[in-house]
Amino acid sequence: MTEKTEEKSLLREVWDALSFSEIRMAMRVALKHMFVKPVTFQYPREKRTIPDAHRGALGLLRYDDGTERCVGCDLCEAACPSRCIKVVSAENPDVPLSRYATEFYIDITKCVFCGYCVEACPVNALAMTKMYEYSTADKRQLIFDKQRLYEIGEKHIEDAKRYLYAHNQEKNDTESLQYRYKFPHQVAGLTPPQDS
Amino acid sequence: MALKPVTSPDIEAPTIRLTIDGQQVEAKQGVSLYDVISQTGKIIPAMCYHYTFDPFGSCGMCLVMVEGKKAPVRSCTAKAEAGMQVRCEGEDLFLARKKAVEKHLTIHPLDCPVCDADGHCELQDMAFQHGVTNLVNAKPKGLPEDRRSLVLDFNMNRCILCGECINICKDVQMVDALQFFKKEGTTHVVAKGDKGLVCEFCGDCLAVCPVGAITNKYSKYVYKPWQLKKTTSTCAYCADGCQMSIETSGKDVQRVTSPLSWKNKWGDRAETAEGHGGLCVRGRFGFQYIDSKERLGMPLVRTDEGFAPRSWFEAMDTVVGRLKAIKAQHGPNAIAGLITARCTNEELYLFQKLMRAAIGTNQVDSSARYGHLNFTRALQHAAGVGRMMNGYEEITKANVLLLIGTDITETNPVASLRVKEAIRVYGAQAIVATSRLTNIAKLASHPLPITAGSERWFIQALVKAAVEEDLVDEAATTAAPEAFGALKAAVAGLSWEVLTARTGTSREAVVEAVRLYAEAPKAVILCAEGVTRQVDGYAGVLNLVDLAWVTGKLTRPGCGVNALPEEANEQGAVDMGVASELLPGQALYADEDARAKFATAWRCSLPSPDPGATLMEILKRCREGRIKALYLVGENPLATLPASTGVREALEKVELLLCQDPFLTETGQLAHVVLPATTFAEKDGTFTNLEGKVNRVRPALEPYEDARPDWEIFAALGTVLGHPMEYEAAQDVQREIMKLLPGYYNLGEPRPVTARPEGYLRDDYVREVAARYAAGAEADQAARPFALTIGQVLYHSGKLSTRAPGLLQLYPSKGRLQMNPEDLAQLQLGPQDAVRVTSAQGAVELRTEPNHDLARGTCFFPEHFNEPPIKDLAECVVDPTTSVPAFKFIRVAIEKL
Amino acid sequence: MPQPLEDQRTTVYKVDPEHPANPTLPTLRTEEMMLNMGPQHPSTHGVLKVVLALEGERIVKATPVMGFLHRGVEKLAEDGTYHQFIPHTDRLDYVCAMYNNFAYCRAVEKLLDLKVPPRAEYLRTIVAEVQRIIGHLFWLGTQALDIGAMTVFFYTFRDREILLDFFDELCGARLTTSWYRIGGVERDFTPDLVEKLRRFCDYFPPKLEEYVTFLNTNRIWLSRTKGVAVISAEDAVNFGLSGPTLRGSGVDYDLRKFEPYAAYGDCEWSVPVGKNGDTYDRYWVRVEEMRQSRNMVKQLLGKIPDGPVMADVPSVTLPPKDKVFNDLASMIQQFKLFSQGFQAPKGEIYCGTEAAKGELGFYIVSDGGGKPYRLKIRAPSFIHMGAFDFMARGYMIADIVTIFGTYDIVMGECDR
């Protein structure tokens, strides 16, 4: 042990006690802090800036031309450590050889926000957003279905993209074209979904 | 098949020694090197290899270094030779294998996300195992999908041309429906002739496909393996007892898979003698009825406004109230019960216990009465054996197979593979006597066309030929000289003219067949509906026993007489004593001691014997008003029996018609109360297959809505009716059966049976034999020249399969009469013309379709559909001994409309 | 037959033997009192329940009752791939999630014999030390709060917030971080993050001195920590204590020093050791560790090597995302790793890591498959609970609050 509080002399102790030195010291700190800017937020009115990497609510994304990115491969379901994702997939009647998610559920009450589903997604259809205010009195609303997830994705598309960039899932816009899953379209001779 | 002698397990080859990774190994000369290596427990990757067929050598993965050779060799196509020094591991081999995988990967599309095989894909495994990370110059093929076939889609982008599908189809199924086909520079796997598939749709190609090149339309793109819960169970369609994995997610059945798969590719060829682990079209693609929306979810009680859903409590209250009132007023014999043989052993046992102990009546019967009881009772009577005498292995290894009156590839497709393997691998001679050119007849060495409905005459001709040509076995006949004398006398009374005229064969053909049969060391007789469901089926089986006996095949190991049951647990129904003349364990109900044993075990007094109270008698008693309440479990007599039996009147007459079924059937429509039962996929229990093997049935799903397993309903009814049946699980029932019938479950292995005909030959034989060789009068055929058979087709089993949309897609209810094209031409019928089919019972109008396999003068209609109600043309002949109703064979006249 | 009524009086009066002549003067019987403390007591730091046997105000026996937060984490590990268990480790010591990630990843890497790239090792060390500061700040604030010095709590939490925001920017979450990966880390530092840490390193020392001053000049703090919950070095070792709890008793044992892992060997630092083994010395050790950690962070920030932050072992680590879209081999790798996980070699390993609370160890048994066959967590909080009774005996009931705090216990890791 290298540090020790100094032993005070008796005189000093008497003087400190008589002059309320401890109280004076405390008051000094208190007074000083009257002129310091508070570090707290007045939450509902003020909000903190959320970093791009923030792992908030999940959303499903579309390509810029409106086609759904998700191909219903269910890998997110396999990757999820808390088993909160359920994907029901089917054959896509419009594009041969392709598959899509007919239903997509994320039980957000079970979600641990680890972001593994985003990491797993081979088409970058999932992304996390900065959305965190979805508390509700009705627990059923916390099972996000496909429609809700696409709504989140649409509303927070910029945040979602920035999330993907921040976590090295996608590079910035110009390079993102090679981050596209082209397979069934290539075969069918169709143009793959484009970003503007 | 260059390597054929290698893989034929019965051919002797000299034993040689070779060294594998420094380890001395013994092997048969000429065996595939791959097999030798895998025997030592080493696993070398191989994507085109499967133990059920001969090595093909297309994937280039199974490379090993053989000393003296510069480059690695493919071990699957290389033969083991004496003194070989083989090395299976090493960096160079790893890299060579990695290169082989890369070759496959460069032309593979990037479609793991959509592919159904993802997660269950050998190419993925290999790529991952060999650490392939970067592919240069990848060039996917970019081919459209081949969707011309029913059930299966072929995606040649994913195909690695391993040929497993082609090989299994050709070698194991002997259907040969697939081929390689070069199109626009790429090799494809297509159905023969580059058309849509024409095959048995067994789906074994799907099971062995190591990638996702073959996909199943019924579950395409709806699952990934990690989403599925796998439950191993036993198929409930036919009695082959195939093991299957029901794969479910939540409340839905997504697919059914077989033990046969590319994952189980290592094995000994000799193992397939007991089954290759595959399924047939019904098992693999007929699962959709399980989670059908047509299922009954709640008990229904008839009110003035029709059926009303009720809670179990109310429905059971109604049922028990009525049953109690009827019993009190009219006695226990005013109640009768029929159960389907698709129920588990435990349920069948519990049902007869419920009827006998709780209600106190012996009027109980099962659907084994439609035919299988003819066989079991005849064999029990003559040889003391109550089931098929030979298992799969004995069928596979027989030298001669005599198939009479069975279309085995349609009724028991997986059992038919044993016959096919016997023919192909073991070189067995197969004599197939049928009236139509069945698939098995096409493969057989001795197809023997006989006139429709003449199976019994044909058997008699065989016996007569055996006796007359002195093909009899000395030991067997000298042991019972009186019996043999009686038989000789009986067959002497038959004239060859009558027999050949009736069967449509020649004496020479019959003699050749019986000579083959008699001289073979291992000869197996297989018969089915053509014998057991015909008029005098009981006598027909005894005729077959005579044939086996005089040729010495009844008691010799590897030989025997067998009849294939139709429904999944017909054998179990007989074993569990669900027949008025039987008790569990096939003890005779009339036997005082046996009855006393069960009375003690059940702590009740059993009703007095009433052996005549069989299916037809129960219906008669219903009509007469003696039976007031009829309890039908899964049975649908209205859709099965012809109208001439008065089944409708019988069902309408009873005061309480109680139906218990997963679906609302035609009979259910007439019921007063319908109880929702579960399908096999929601039950726990066992099925006894045709070999006598007790297979486990496991619940893959929670019961559909409010449906309950049958045993639970029986136990509840029994308890409320005053005979406590406190079982908590099906296993409790099983334990009770184990106590009463020790050894029945036998750890899932069939107990070997030995025929003991001595007693019968000594006591009853002389008295009985003459009757079954009496040439009865032949009906006048001129007025009704056509023989109409109502029979089973491959794609269906009873009425249950018609609830599976997938099977209906493969074989819909067409309402068409199948006829020989020449007959059609003679009647001047075009494809759209309608005909009137007239029998003694009435007439039905319908359209026709040509079927080249049918003999002239015969026509066919599938028994699964009653649209139009062609079954009502039949008259029902009840067997005098076993009361089995025969109504599947009708003589009709056909005229153009 | 009517039963005689039982004597229902709660206090039994008896004759005082010293005053036999005065039977009217009753004497109270002395007996031990059982007192349940927790699991919902604000000072028990989570859901710890302690059954106290008291003689007056003296603690005769203190039995910790655990399991209120048991979630079967070890069993959960057997159900998922090795990778999938990382988010579950966040929820062990939820105050220092990074450390749990670190300890688990190190254990799996040891099982796989996997080498982590140097840059990742540096980042791992820096973040671990930042996490240590967070953990100790949290402890300091709450311990002071429990004892009655509220001010410190606000100040330490303010500084902790700065670092939590740093985590948020780094990995997207403040507490449940899941930033470490088997074979490296999820995401590299951005220049902005490095700058933020540098600023913190300059900002932090004067603040820390300020808090220390508050406490060291606080008579209540001194009298309530000095000489409370004393444990000798020998007893501490025998009870298996580790971390600051052990070092407070004067045992110079720190895994970072003894088997230097990650980048701990590449920087100058010392292991602070106490003398008296009381709560005050443990407080002092923690404060000194914060200073050391800050020094380490500052040193390491200056010499982070370049390079990747994830090992490139295709059978274990994920492929870069851009390749997943274009290269079949990488796509297969992605699918196999996420749906089935990597195949760990057969065997069993133990790997301990010096976390903020003590030695956090993971013991993994692998059967050669994609999931752990068995996973055991050696959680320091749980081991420390073994010494609770020993350290609490003889102190006053008011000291129990100090004793709770002195271990820096977190029930998430204790109950698992």
Side-chain angles (χ1 to χ4, degrees), chain C residues 56-354:
Chain C
E57 280 206 62
R58 290 268 168 221
I59 300 166
V60 177
K61 190 169 167 34
T63 317
V65 181
M66 280 165 291
F68 292 96
L69 201 59
H70 179 74
R71 294 143 298 168
V73 174
E74 289 175 6
K75 198 74 196 163
L76 273 173
E78 294 165 23
D79 190 40
T81 64
Y82 285 95
H83 188 58
Q84 276 181 331
F85 188 58
I86 297 175
H88 289 302
T89 63
D90 288 341
R91 279 100 184 139
L92 293 173
D93 173 4
Y94 39 77
V95 178
C96 300
M98 287 287 194
Y99 256 117
N100 310 327
N101 297 165
F102 192 16
Y104 173 68
C105 289
R106 253 169 50 76
V108 179
E109 281 153 15
K110 187 169 169 187
L111 176 68
L112 297 169
D113 198 13
L114 188 74
K115 192 106 185 67
V116 180
R119 183 176 175 85
E121 291 283 32
Y122 269 72
L123 301 191
R124 282 175 163 206
T125 317
I126 294 169
V127 170
E129 288 313 305
V130 169
Q131 182 72 78
R132 184 181 301 274
I133 297 174
I134 292 179
H136 287 344
L137 280 175
F138 183 90
W139 171 83
L140 186 62
T142 49
Q143 175 76 334
L145 180 71
D146 286 346
I147 287 175
M150 202 174 199
T151 322
V152 184
F153 173 76
F154 289 123
Y155 290 169
T156 58
F157 268 58
R158 178 191 62 196
D159 295 348
R160 179 173 168 265
E161 278 301 298
I162 299 173
L163 292 176
L164 289 182
D165 281 349
F166 165 78
F167 280 179
D168 198 1
E169 273 176 65
L170 175 66
C171 62
R174 291 148 48 86
L175 294 174
T176 51
T177 52
S178 305
W179 179 67
Y180 288 75
R181 288 287 187 276
I182 296 155
V185 297
E186 189 241 326
R187 189 174 170 234
D188 202 351
F189 277 2
T190 57
D192 184 42
L193 284 171
V194 176
E195 188 48 41
K196 276 205 169 127
L197 267 189
R198 281 226 170 84
R199 275 210 301 274
F200 180 79
C201 288
D202 298 336
Y203 157 88
F204 185 55
K207 295 284 171 196
L208 184 62
E209 296 319 314
E210 187 183 350
Y211 314 146
V212 172
T213 319
F214 285 153
L215 291 171
N216 286 356
T217 55
N218 184 334
R219 263 186 288 165
I220 303 169
W221 170 263
L222 293 179
S223 59
R224 288 202 63 179
T225 55
K226 281 194 171 178
V228 175
V230 181
I231 187 163
S232 70
E234 194 191 348
D235 287 335
V237 171
N238 287 348
F239 273 111
L241 305 188
S242 57
T245 319
L246 174 69
R247 291 192 285 273
S249 298
V251 182
D252 182 13
Y253 177 73
D254 191 321
L255 281 173
R256 293 174 294 170
K257 207 70 178 174
F258 281 86
E259 355 173 315
Y261 50 89
Y264 285 116
D266 297 350
C267 54
E268 293 289 316
W269 63 287
S270 59
V271 182
V273 178
K275 208 152 67 187
N276 305 322
D278 60 356
T279 304
Y280 182 83
D281 278 15
R282 289 189 274 274
Y283 147 75
W284 180 83
V285 166
R286 288 193 173 102
V287 168
E288 186 55 31
E289 274 189 11
M290 280 196 263
R291 295 195 183 109
Q292 295 290 342
S293 293
R294 176 257 165 207
N295 289 344
M296 269 192 257
V297 171
K298 187 144 176 87
Q299 286 177 52
L300 291 174
L301 273 179
K303 50 180 182 181
I304 303 177
D306 283 336
V309 293
M310 267 302 269
D312 183 20
V313 182
S315 60
V316 176
T317 55
L318 292 173
K321 199 66 179 271
D322 58 333
K323 281 177 112 190
V324 172
F325 300 92
N326 298 302
D327 179 47
L328 180 62
S330 304
M331 179 173 266
I332 288 175
Q333 198 184 334
Q334 173 97 352
F335 270 84
K336 290 292 281 185
L337 284 173
F338 272 113
S339 62
Q340 286 152 36
F342 51 78
Q343 313 281 306
K346 225 171 164 164
E348 41 193 273
I349 56 108
Y350 171 80
C351 177
T353 303
E354 187 72 32

